[in-house]
Amino acid sequence: MKVSLVKTSVLVFLSWLALSCASTPDEEIIVPASLVEFKPEINTSVIWKRSLFDEDEIVQFGYSPIVVKDKLYVSSESGRVVAYDLASGKPAWTTELSFVLSSPMGADSERLIFGSKNADILAINQSNGKLAWQSKVSSEILSSPILEKNVVIR
């Protein structure tokens, strides 16, 4: 009986506490502003559009394309990297890396940098997609590597 009385008292107190936090009629109600008509300041149009990878190819969430100079670069987890001409949308080159990629790509003005699931950092040349260098690190790379003044930050 004593335990039941304590539980009931706690329940009543918590109910009172919750109700005391509720709003009162004296509070000001904030009404959202009405939407206003606006006129676009620039006109946009689609220059080109294409499917970047095959339907069965794994493209991880977070793998974003990168634009450097006049190219759009995309990568997939399987190690496929494609460079597209930004003006025409035509593929400039495609490379199939022998690595399973685990990070979004990073870039400097000459190379694309990737991390692999097997603890590699690798760079490919933006001009032709050829492997520039690779290096083993202590663990899988999950974030986009940054290359600054020939130093990789992961």
Side-chain angles (χ1 to χ4, degrees):
M1 182 78 163
K2 212 175 195 183
V3 173
S4 180
L5 182 61
V6 171
K7 285 183 181 179
T8 303
S9 298
V10 169
L11 184 59
V12 168
F13 173 74
L14 291 175
S15 298
W16 172 81
L17 186 61
L19 288 173
S20 67
C21 295
S23 61
T24 64
D26 297 338
E27 286 185 31
E28 179 183 347
I29 297 175
I30 299 172
V31 179
S34 299
L35 295 176
V36 296
E37 291 291 322
F38 72 95
K39 194 174 200 175
E41 294 182 15
I42 60 171
N43 293 320
T44 60
S45 62
V46 176
I47 297 172
W48 57 269
K49 176 178 150 180
R50 68 175 42 245
S51 178
L52 300 177
F53 293 108
D54 299 330
E55 286 183 23
D56 60 339
E57 193 157 4
I58 298 172
V59 179
Q60 293 283 67
F61 177 73
Y63 280 37
S64 299
I66 290 181
V67 174
V68 181
K69 300 177 188 167
D70 62 343
K71 299 283 188 292
L72 171 77
Y73 301 95
V74 294
S75 65
S76 71
E77 182 180 24
S78 65
R80 186 177 197 199
V81 184
V82 183
Y84 293 95
D85 180 77
L86 204 52
S88 69
K90 293 180 181 175
W93 54 258
T94 299
T95 192
E96 302 286 341
L97 300 171
S98 59
F99 298 89
V100 176
L101 302 180
S102 60
S103 75
M105 71 184 119
D108 68 1
S109 61
E110 299 172 8
R111 293 160 294 219
L112 302 173
I113 305 10
F114 303 90
S116 82
K117 289 194 175 190
N118 291 328
D120 295 286
I121 291 184
L122 50 135
I124 63 174
N125 293 313
Q126 290 178 11
S127 60
N128 57 18
K130 303 282 186 218
L131 186 66
W133 54 261
Q134 76 181 72
S135 181
K136 263 309 195 199
V137 292
S138 61
S139 63
E140 176 182 15
I141 311 299
L142 298 175
S143 62
S144 184
I146 299 170
L147 181 62
E148 186 63 38
K149 296 182 181 176
N150 290 324
V151 176
V152 176
I153 302 167
R154 63 177 182 104

